[in-house]
Amino acid sequence: MVQLYNLHPFGSQQVVPCKLEPERFCGGGRDTLFVAAGCKVEAFTVVGQELCQPRCVFSTLGRVLRLAYSEAGDYLVAIEEKNKATFLRAYVNWRNKRTENSRVCIRMVGHDMEAPFSETFRDQMSIVEMPLSEAPLCISCCPVKGDLLVGCTNNLVLFSLKYQIINEEFSILDFERSLVIHIDNITPAEISFCVGYVAVMSELEVLIVKLESDPKNRKSVNHHPHKTTNPTKQAEGISNETSQLESDDFVICQKPMELLGEKSKQSGISVTLESTGLADEKIKYFHVRHLLYRRFAPDISSCLLSDDIRLHSLQLLPIYQTGSLTSDRKNSSQEKVLLSLFCFFSLPHVGYLYMIVKSVELLSVYQYPEKCQQAVLTPQFLHVITSNNLQCYTVRCSAVVAREENPYVDSTLKACPPISMNVCALRIQLFIGLKAICHFKNHVVLLTKADPETVPERRESPKRLLLETQHSHLALPYYKMSGLSMAEVLNRVDWAVEDGSQKYERGLIFYINHSLYENLDEELSEELSAKVVQMFYAAEPKQLPHILCSPSMKNIDPLTAIKYLRKLDTSGFSSVLVTLAKAAMALKMGDLDMHRNEMKSHSEMKLVCGFVLEPRLLIQQRKGQIVPTEFAVHLKETQPGLLVASVLALQKNNKIGIEEADSFFKVLCGKDGDTIPQLLVDFWEAQLVACLPDVVLQELFFKLTSQYIWRLSKRQPPDTTPLRTSEDLINTCSHYGLINPWVNVLISSESLVDKNYMEDLSKLQSLICGPSFDIASIVPFLEPLSEDTVAGLSVHVLCHTRLKEYDQCIDRLLERCPEAVIPYANHELKEENRTLWWKKLLPELCQRIKCGGEKYQLYLSSLKETLSVVAVELELRDFLNVLPEDGTAAFFLPYLLYCSRKKSLT
């Protein structure tokens, strides 16, 4: 089976409808997927999230061993095996293969076509056979130029892509065997080729070289082999010594090695270029530049090479600027400009990513949590498969190129991560029996095969096999990719059992349970809901209370649900959850007496724990929207305290977010927009009391103070009775402080008979007096609260006092409420602020007394209190200096006498 995914984050998943069991596959250009099975290759059209559609089928000479596609030239190339012989063939013009029996032209590479005969190639597929002196082992197509590199035991053969021009309107794609790269001391298991860069990988070694086209070294390439790099004598000595010591009793293992740049010439691997093109043709490559050599050590615990230390997934990844294609799909010399090149290869537990162009350096190291079978690199992600999961990691390739083009690309307007930033895993997706992976465009393609022991001997339909799988959670992706709804899956279950007992497979149970948790918008019928209840009662009784809370089970008959709930043995799991499930069903069928009896059977604390175990008893999501349940609506009217405590517990246990909780209470109370119900205010106050660690205190303060201020300014009473009084909050919450005593004097100057108004005012004053409140953040929002009222005045003076603006506060109190000045000064003007008694308060009172008026007696009384304090605080000389020069001596004399005698008294 082949799976097709959109690139992370995966937007869709599809099953490719292969006729035969797939063996090899690769992406083809913008919209095609090739799948090889047996002696056939199937091509599928892949467009967006639509289902893959068969495009064409063509036969191969034998079983396909390797398969590759080149977008430049739009051709497919394969290594095929027949009768123990291997063949290299390229499939050209395959898009014109209409049917499996359509005519196909087979021709030899480099064979010139005559015009009348070649015209037949225009509308039919051609197969180009490329004979080799050695058996081909691996292949790689240059993603930029379309040239083909073939790996053999002792050499690499380069076939350059070219076009035979038949006439002005038509040309035929062909290849020229232009270069042979002879390599010693390494047998290629995988190769990768890109615009002259060649990467060769054996089981334990990786070599990367660059084929240079510098004409200065033209003499180094002839039509006969000529070594461009000789291994060092030291390397030869090691090789000879190794061969002499190896025997049946010893295995000589070379130590790990990493050589970068010119030092990689010391690897001991000889590289020789032999030009095989026509003598009059321009030689494309002249000499070799070594870039990287990396050797790993085998597992010495075994005489055989362990799979745990075998390299795989060699890949050169180019990043380039793109140009325009020519009309006949030829490669324009200006088509692509290479910006950078990266090389990736991997061990089963570690992956390595190198930067090649400009400098050679190790960019990232990937540590896999499980044994990696294969990996594929893209400019943005690294996709890795293990036996049972697909992993996705970040890569820094695009960031490297972006920073090379613009060192200042990382700014406030456009983010670009540092290339030194550690890589991280983004996603792990479970699958059964992953075998291979490839990537093209915006798709990741997976090949999976079930283990032989999981496949039944009898041949059955895939749907039936899917229902009987024993892999539990690993079966989930296959149910999803089947395209069946939950109801369609349930309708395929064999429910009829003669003896009344029924066994349900784990994979099916897991799929149904997962689907019911996933908040799908699918509602099961009453009949199917009853069958689901029956299934879980028999197979997973602990899950029965949970699945009954799913929105998909909306149509369940409550009597049926209660019948099964009553039969549950609650000794092994939470009985309170069963109680709440029965209470919900009783409410659904209108039996309020039964509902009350169930709710009384547990304490409120246990009921809160029950709601934490199953939040969907209160809150559900339908079509992405939060919907309070019938249970929540009932608790709002009968037990609002329990409801608030339960939602608070959900938030504390990360079962609901802050914004979700706010939205829940608004929807529950029928409020929208900026209207805040009292129940939500109760919830905010409960959050402060609970001191939840993930709650941002200042945001919560802002919510509460804004609501208190709005109510006070509009004289708007709460829509329901508050759950806590200001006194409760002061006694139970450290964020609510004791209200300053002078505030009570100020408030008592006017009669405020509205109890709700007084409660909101006291809560606001208490918050401002608390130790945690950021006063500066709320001052701009005090404007709706007028100072014309004592309530508004008290709040403004409290805020400015917290901001240490004492002069301004004294002026306001002297003007509006002189009787509160002395209590204010006694409480606020202490320690470093005591000087304000004689520097601010005393002169202000004297000045106002001079002016007379209706508040004369209040000012006079306050002056006497002030003089008593100042006489105690100051020495006689200082006291005389602060007294007014035009004051009446008889009035100040008693205070002067006290000030002069206090030293003798002490």
Side-chain angles (χ1 to χ4, degrees):
M1 183 184 294
V2 176
Q3 286 81 32
L4 182 64
Y5 266 73
N6 275 14
L7 188 60
H8 177 92
F10 305 130
S12 66
Q13 51 188 9
Q14 305 171 25
V15 177
V16 181
C18 304
K19 294 181 180 178
L20 300 174
E21 182 178 348
E23 297 173 349
R24 301 283 183 271
F25 61 95
C26 70
R30 302 176 302 276
D31 58 356
T32 306
L33 174 67
F34 296 103
V35 181
C39 294
K40 292 185 183 296
V41 174
E42 297 179 78
F44 297 89
T45 299
V46 182
V47 180
Q49 297 186 9
E50 299 177 7
L51 294 177
C52 300
Q53 299 296 329
R55 182 169 191 159
C56 65
V57 180
F58 47 88
S59 299
T60 60
L61 185 63
R63 188 169 67 91
V64 176
L65 302 180
R66 298 289 180 103
L67 193 66
Y69 169 82
S70 173
E71 186 171 2
D74 193 29
Y75 68 87
L76 185 71
V77 62
I79 298 178
E80 302 168 16
E81 181 185 47
K82 183 178 182 181
N83 298 329
K84 297 183 179 180
T86 54
F87 304 87
L88 181 65
R89 308 173 97 204
Y91 297 83
V92 179
N93 207 23
W94 56 270
R95 293 181 187 272
N96 288 330
K97 189 76 164 62
R98 306 300 180 188
T99 64
E100 186 174 352
N101 297 323
S102 300
R103 293 184 60 183
V104 175
C105 174
I106 301 178
R107 55 189 169 94
M108 194 68 67
V109 65
H111 179 67
D112 291 331
M113 296 294 167
E114 297 180 359
F117 180 69
S118 60
E119 285 290 337
T120 60
F121 295 165
R122 185 190 298 271
D123 298 321
Q124 68 182 34
M125 185 176 77
S126 297
I127 300 176
V128 182
E129 296 198 346
M130 291 174 273
L132 296 164
S133 59
E134 296 183 12
L137 302 176
C138 46
I139 51 179
S140 177
C141 301
C142 174
V144 180
K145 302 297 183 182
D147 298 341
L148 172 64
L149 188 67
V150 184
C152 303
T153 304
N154 296 308
N155 56 54
L156 309 176
V157 181
L158 178 63
F159 290 90
S160 298
L161 180 67
K162 69 175 187 177
Y163 288 85
Q164 288 191 29
I165 300 176
I166 306 303
N167 53 46
E168 294 181 355
E169 299 179 353
F170 180 58
S171 61
I172 296 175
L173 185 145
D174 199 4
F175 298 88
E176 179 190 3
R177 187 173 181 267
S178 59
L179 185 69
V180 177
I181 307 171
H182 298 275
I183 52 175
D184 297 334
N185 300 328
I186 185 171
T187 300
E190 294 183 27
I191 59 174
S192 188
F193 181 58
C194 180
V195 287
Y197 290 87
V198 178
V200 184
M201 184 180 75
S202 66
E203 291 181 337
L204 289 174
E205 297 172 286
V206 176
L207 174 68
I208 303 177
V209 299
K210 173 72 186 302
L211 304 179
E212 298 281 9
S213 56
D214 186 357
K216 294 180 181 179
N217 297 300
R218 185 180 183 120
K219 294 181 180 179
S220 65
V221 178
N222 299 314
H223 288 274
H224 302 284
H226 177 79
K227 292 187 177 181
T228 61
T229 302
N230 292 320
T232 62
K233 293 182 179 180
Q234 181 182 3
E236 288 178 350
I238 294 174
S239 178
N240 294 334
E241 184 181 352
T242 299
S243 61
Q244 293 172 5
L245 289 176
E246 284 185 345
S247 66
D248 293 339
D249 299 325
F250 297 95
V251 175
I252 305 301
C253 299
Q254 294 180 320
K255 65 180 180 180
M257 180 185 295
E258 181 188 48
L259 301 174
L260 303 179
E262 289 299 315
K263 291 184 178 180
S264 58
K265 290 182 179 179
Q266 304 172 14
S267 63
I269 297 176
S270 172
V271 181
T272 303
L273 299 185
E274 176 188 1
S275 176
T276 58
L278 297 177
D280 58 349
E281 291 283 340
K282 181 180 179 182
I283 297 177
K284 193 172 184 179
Y285 298 112
F286 296 96
H287 68 279
V288 176
R289 179 161 59 94
H290 288 250
L291 300 176
L292 170 69
Y293 174 74
R294 184 80 188 256
R295 182 173 66 210
F296 298 88
D299 184 1
I300 61 175
S301 63
S302 172
C303 291
L304 300 176
L305 182 61
S306 171
D307 286 338
D308 288 335
I309 197 63
R310 182 171 287 132
L311 290 165
H312 61 76
S313 304
L314 176 67
Q315 182 180 349
L316 289 176
L317 177 70
I319 295 182
Y320 40 72
Q321 292 176 337
T322 56
S324 58
L325 288 173
T326 56
S327 59
D328 56 357
R329 300 190 63 82
K330 293 182 181 178
N331 291 322
S332 168
S333 60
Q334 301 299 322
E335 180 186 341
K336 295 177 180 177
V337 177
L338 185 68
L339 296 178
S340 192
L341 185 69
F342 302 87
C343 181
F344 177 82
F345 49 87
S346 182
L347 292 168
H349 294 281
V350 188
Y352 300 89
L353 178 61
Y354 280 85
M355 182 168 57
I356 302 300
V357 176
K358 296 183 180 179
S359 64
V360 181
E361 59 180 289
L362 181 62
L363 188 62
S364 301
V365 177
Y366 294 86
Q367 301 284 348
Y368 313 131
E370 300 178 49
K371 180 181 176 181
C372 164
Q373 298 187 154
Q374 191 180 351
V376 61
L377 180 70
T378 74
Q380 291 80 29
F381 302 103
L382 174 69
H383 300 280
V384 175
I385 60 168
T386 66
S387 60
N388 286 325
N389 62 58
L390 167 65
Q391 303 172 3
C392 181
Y393 296 85
T394 56
V395 298
R396 302 287 175 240
C397 298
S398 297
V400 170
V401 176
R403 286 179 176 270
E404 286 182 350
E405 292 296 305
N406 180 10
Y408 306 102
V409 66
D410 190 16
S411 65
T412 56
L413 300 178
K414 188 174 184 180
C416 181
I419 61 175
S420 59
M421 181 181 291
N422 290 335
V423 296
C424 63
L426 297 176
R427 178 183 177 130
I428 295 181
Q429 181 76 39
L430 297 174
F431 288 92
I432 299 175
L434 285 169
K435 301 299 180 185
I437 182 175
C438 83
H439 169 271
F440 76 102
K441 298 303 179 183
N442 291 332
H443 303 91
V444 171
V445 189
L446 304 174
L447 173 66
T448 69
K449 291 184 180 181
D451 295 331
E453 60 268 19
T454 66
V455 180
E457 294 182 3
R458 62 186 186 281
R459 294 182 61 86
E460 295 187 355
S461 69
K463 292 186 177 66
R464 182 62 187 169
L465 179 59
L466 191 63
L467 290 173
E468 293 188 353
T469 181
Q470 297 288 325
H471 281 83
S472 188
H473 64 285
L474 295 182
L476 183 59
Y478 298 88
Y479 278 104
K480 289 189 173 183
M481 290 186 290
S482 69
L484 299 175
S485 66
M486 187 164 40
E488 289 172 327
V489 171
L490 289 170
N491 284 327
R492 284 163 170 74
V493 177
D494 183 10
W495 300 98
V497 177
E498 294 181 0
D499 59 359
S501 63
Q502 177 77 347
K503 290 185 178 180
Y504 303 97
E505 300 301 337
R506 291 169 55 198
L508 173 64
I509 292 291
F510 187 87
Y511 162 71
I512 298 298
N513 193 30
H514 184 275
S515 298
L516 292 175
Y517 265 103
E518 210 171 16
N519 292 322
L520 300 175
D521 294 328
E522 178 184 4
E523 292 183 2
L524 298 177
S525 65
E526 181 179 340
E527 180 184 2
L528 284 179
S529 297
K531 289 181 177 180
V532 169
V533 170
Q534 171 191 334
M535 176 195 302
F536 277 87
Y537 175 76
E540 290 284 346
K542 292 182 180 180
Q543 292 297 321
L544 186 55
H546 295 283
I547 64 107
L548 286 171
C549 298
S550 170
S552 299
M553 297 288 287
K554 178 182 178 181
N555 297 320
I556 184 67
D557 180 7
L559 287 174
T560 302
I562 289 175
K563 180 183 73 173
Y564 280 101
L565 288 170
R566 283 174 173 168
K567 293 196 298 183
L568 285 177
D569 179 10
T570 59
S571 59
F573 58 100
S574 176
S575 61
V576 68
L577 187 56
V578 177
T579 296
L580 288 173
K582 288 190 288 186
M585 290 299 141
L587 200 61
K588 186 175 182 180
M589 62 183 182
D591 192 341
L592 296 181
D593 290 336
M594 178 183 173
H595 172 82
R596 280 192 291 269
N597 290 334
E598 294 292 343
M599 295 296 286
K600 290 179 181 178
S601 62
H602 292 284
S603 66
E604 186 170 296
M605 184 60 69
K606 283 192 174 181
L607 292 176
V608 169
C609 294
F611 287 121
V612 172
L613 291 174
E614 184 45 77
R616 292 178 298 177
L617 284 162
L618 298 175
I619 306 170
Q620 295 184 353
Q621 285 196 353
R622 294 175 188 168
K623 297 181 180 180
Q625 301 295 321
I626 289 180
V627 180
T629 63
E630 187 179 358
F631 206 157
V633 174
H634 184 73
L635 288 179
K636 169 183 170 289
E637 303 298 333
T638 58
Q639 294 178 276
L642 173 60
L643 177 62
V644 170
S646 300
V647 178
L648 185 68
L650 293 179
Q651 184 183 341
K652 188 175 182 179
N653 288 274
N654 299 317
K655 298 296 182 71
I656 188 174
I658 296 174
E659 293 182 1
E660 289 176 317
D662 289 1
S663 177
F664 165 77
F665 282 109
K666 285 186 177 182
V667 175
L668 178 66
C669 299
K671 307 294 183 181
D672 54 5
D674 297 330
T675 306
I676 306 298
Q678 174 58 39
L679 207 57
L680 180 53
V681 177
D682 291 328
F683 176 67
W684 291 340
E685 292 172 348
Q687 284 181 307
L688 273 186
V689 173
C691 297
L692 298 184
D694 58 337
V695 173
V696 180
L697 277 180
Q698 298 306 323
E699 290 184 7
L700 197 53
F701 288 149
F702 177 77
K703 290 178 181 179
L704 284 168
T705 53
S706 297
Q707 187 60 19
Y708 295 149
I709 291 171
W710 181 81
R711 284 186 187 168
L712 291 170
S713 62
K714 301 293 184 181
R715 291 274 180 172
Q716 182 71 36
D719 55 341
T720 57
T721 304
L723 296 179
R724 286 182 172 89
T725 66
S726 58
E727 185 178 354
D728 295 334
L729 292 172
I730 292 172
N731 291 333
T732 58
C733 180
S734 61
H735 300 298
Y736 283 87
L738 287 171
I739 300 173
N740 298 344
W742 59 265
V743 175
N744 296 325
V745 177
L746 180 59
I747 295 300
S748 63
S749 63
E750 289 185 13
S751 58
L752 300 173
V753 294
D754 189 335
K755 181 181 178 182
N756 290 322
Y757 185 88
M758 278 301 301
E759 279 296 315
D760 284 339
L761 179 60
S762 297
K763 289 177 181 178
L764 179 57
Q765 292 169 342
S766 177
L767 265 185
I768 296 173
C769 293
S772 311
F773 194 64
D774 181 12
I775 300 298
S777 65
I778 201 64
V779 169
F781 301 95
L782 293 178
E783 186 177 350
L785 201 57
S786 173
E787 292 188 45
D788 294 339
T789 63
V790 292
L793 179 64
S794 67
V795 173
H796 280 274
V797 174
L798 270 174
C799 288
H800 289 288
T801 299
R802 288 289 307 276
L803 295 174
K804 301 186 183 302
E805 298 173 355
Y806 302 106
D807 288 23
Q808 184 179 348
C809 295
I810 291 171
D811 289 337
R812 291 184 181 184
L813 290 177
L814 286 173
E815 182 66 30
R816 291 289 314 282
C817 187
E819 60 267 37
V821 166
I822 296 304
Y824 175 86
N826 284 328
H827 190 268
E828 305 296 345
L829 305 185
K830 297 177 181 179
E831 298 176 355
E832 70 272 11
N833 298 318
R834 289 193 78 82
T835 58
L836 291 175
W837 279 93
W838 53 88
K839 289 184 177 181
K840 174 64 179 178
L841 186 55
L842 179 59
E844 281 291 335
L845 287 170
C846 291
Q847 183 63 34
R848 291 176 186 268
I849 289 173
K850 288 179 184 179
C851 298
E854 61 182 13
K855 297 181 181 179
Y856 175 85
Q857 289 299 327
L858 291 174
Y859 292 144
L860 185 61
S861 174
S862 299
L863 178 59
K864 293 177 179 180
E865 293 283 346
T866 304
L867 288 170
S868 298
V869 173
V870 175
V872 173
E873 294 293 326
L874 297 181
E875 296 296 330
L876 181 59
R877 179 176 298 177
D878 295 331
F879 187 28
L880 284 169
N881 289 334
V882 299
L883 293 178
E885 295 180 356
D886 56 350
T888 304
F891 178 81
F892 296 103
L893 185 58
Y895 304 100
L896 288 168
L897 292 173
Y898 177 81
C899 184
S900 65
R901 293 202 305 264
K902 67 180 180 183
K903 182 176 290 187
S904 60
L905 291 174
T906 58

